[in-house]
Amino acid sequence: MSAQLTFAAPRRAKPPRHLADLSPDERREAVAALDEKPFRADQLSRHYFGRLVDDPADMTDLPAAVRDRLVAELMPPLLTSVRDQVCDEGMTRKTLWKAFDGTLIESVLMRYPDRVTMCVSSQAGCGMNCPFCATGQAGLTRNLSTAEIVEQVVAGARALARGQIPGGEGRVSNIVFMGMGEPLASFNNVLRAIHRFSDPSPAGLGISQRNITVSTVGLVPAIGRLADLDLKVRLAVSLHAPDDELRDELVPINTRWKVAEVLDAAWAYADRTRRRVSIEYALIRDINDQGWRADLLGRLIKGHPVHVNLIPLNPTPGSKWTASRPSVQTEFVRHLEAHGVPVTVRDTRGQEIDGACGQLAAMPQEPPLRTRQG
Ligand code: SAH
């Protein structure tokens, strides 16, 4: 019955071990196992998480021989940038990464006036097979290691700290697990990554758990496990339909865990963590955008600590579906608000670089040119 068993990635060579895979205690043990003084682990952490250093030459508090050995053992290169694509005057940047085994993944950095959000991948590909999502179409390649997840954010933090993103020096303030993959299907690696993100610097990056969002298709047992951990991370549930008949089609895992079970798990999470849950709902023209569906959704969720995020469907290659008409979207919002449910419509940041929700497919070549508005 465990979600881990059912959705386990195919067995493959593991990414090399990295400092960011390890808790502070494990780092000291790893350094001791290399016959070095355990405090060297704290020095390495300060360089990696605190100063965001990636060049061993900058680690001048470590004797050169020690440094080379420790860096080779504990900070192997994990992700190589293959391509950056930018839009919004450089405020949105999508990076294509190649892992040690050639696997390709993507992450997106989005700078807003008051925050910087990084959208990270937890898996290469995805096994959930939602028909409107580009990532789902190619299936699951493998889970990312904890350090491969962390490296996406560290790279963004580094670019911001070095003033490489327009708007001056900055910091990553928010993280969303809304890139490639189903985070709760790689539970342990994602959990460890959350600790690396939120542990105070220099053990971790010192980003508040309140600013970290885990977005899931609704793996009910894993939502329960997450709730039991008493973290402060926000939960987002990709609902996309209030009725099982349609949700079975849009989010195929619904055939296993129904709308009512997913929502019950979400309310239990909210109860336990005292945090409002987000319901994600991609508005797909003539598929899930009817007024009666908005009413049904409103009736299901009203009175609960919830916030609805409507996402105008982003186009994906080969899909016949498109975003709802603006007037229909406005009506949908009105119906939900009539039930007293808080609603926002998400912007479609990064759409022109295929960096918006559901568009990450990690294609090494530019996708074929297609006409786009705006
Ligand atoms: N697997 C996780 C996280 C990845 S996707 C999940 O499903 O929640 C992040 C959000 O983007 C999800 O709500 C997903 O359903 C949504 N999404 C996927 N494809 C989309 C598309 N083409 N347009 C708009 N949103 C999309």
Side-chain angles (χ1 to χ4, degrees), residues 132-133 178-179 181-182 215-217 238 240 280 313-314 316 357-358:
F132 55 92
C133 175
M178 294 189 185
E182 166 50 43
S215 179
T216 177
V217 287
S238 297
H240 305 311
E280 312 288 293
L313 187 82
N314 293 303
T316 59
C357 294

Side-chain angles (χ1 to χ4, degrees), residues 355-372:
C357 294
Q359 293 186 309
L360 303 185
M363 281 182 289
Q365 305 300 322
E366 296 290 328
L369 261 185
R370 55 178 189 267
T371 352
R372 283 255 177 83

Side-chain angles (χ1 to χ4, degrees), residues 97-370:
W97 300 102
K98 187 190 262 180
F100 81 105
D101 56 354
T103 296
L104 297 171
I105 58 153
E106 291 181 315
S107 61
V108 186
L109 181 153
M110 289 161 283
R111 186 167 210 167
Y112 300 88
D114 59 336
R115 65 187 193 279
V116 178
T117 301
M118 285 223 58
C119 177
V120 297
S121 295
S122 55
Q123 299 181 308
C126 185
M128 297 298 121
N129 207 22
C130 303
F132 55 92
C133 175
T135 310
Q137 302 321 298
L140 176 65
T141 305
R142 66 168 170 85
N143 291 341
L144 300 185
S145 68
T146 299
E148 286 174 322
I149 300 171
V150 173
E151 277 266 275
Q152 299 168 52
V153 174
V154 167
R158 213 174 259 148
L160 284 159
R162 293 178 185 170
Q164 291 162 357
I165 307 291
E169 276 177 38
R171 304 165 61 90
V172 175
S173 56
N174 297 62
I175 297 169
V176 294
F177 281 91
M178 294 189 185
M180 302 171 79
E182 166 50 43
L184 295 187
S186 182
F187 194 93
N188 292 332
N189 291 358
V190 165
L191 177 62
R192 278 190 290 259
I194 289 170
H195 286 297
R196 297 305 103 78
F197 294 148
S198 61
D199 279 356
S201 174
L205 291 172
I207 296 168
S208 164
Q209 285 186 1
R210 297 184 162 275
N211 293 348
I212 301 175
T213 301
V214 173
S215 179
T216 177
V217 287
L219 304 185
V220 166
I223 294 174
R225 264 180 89 190
L226 193 66
D228 285 341
L229 294 170
D230 276 329
L231 304 175
K232 287 280 166 260
V233 298
R234 183 187 289 277
L235 181 74
V237 172
S238 297
L239 200 67
H240 305 311
D243 53 308
D244 287 319
E245 193 183 351
L246 179 57
R247 194 167 191 268
D248 281 350
E249 188 188 342
L250 295 182
V251 185
I253 199 65
N254 194 69
T255 54
R256 178 104 171 246
W257 293 294
K258 298 292 175 194
V259 170
E261 293 172 88
V262 172
L263 290 179
D264 279 348
W267 309 147
Y269 186 88
D271 214 37
R272 189 72 192 257
T273 57
R274 304 266 138 224
R275 298 225 55 194
R276 195 176 280 271
V277 172
S278 296
I279 300 288
E280 312 288 293
Y281 199 107
L283 280 174
I284 313 176
R285 185 179 296 189
D286 299 334
I287 301 290
N288 65 353
D289 61 359
Q290 305 81 356
W292 70 265
R293 279 207 162 89
D295 283 329
L296 179 54
L297 177 62
R299 284 198 299 276
L300 285 178
I301 65 177
K302 70 176 180 194
H304 290 283
V306 71
H307 175 104
V308 175
N309 240 315
L310 297 175
I311 319 170
L313 187 82
N314 293 303
T316 59
S319 171
K320 52 188 187 297
W321 288 331
T322 183
S324 302
R325 289 174 191 83
S327 58
V328 172
Q329 178 178 305
T330 308
E331 260 312 275
F332 202 91
V333 171
R334 207 184 55 75
H335 277 257
L336 279 175
E337 283 176 342
H339 292 276
V341 172
V343 193
T344 46
V345 178
R346 179 174 302 162
D347 67 359
T348 49
R349 269 260 187 153
Q351 210 188 70
E352 57 268 53
I353 53 170
D354 284 328
C357 294
Q359 293 186 309
L360 303 185
M363 281 182 289
Q365 305 300 322
E366 296 290 328
L369 261 185
R370 55 178 189 267

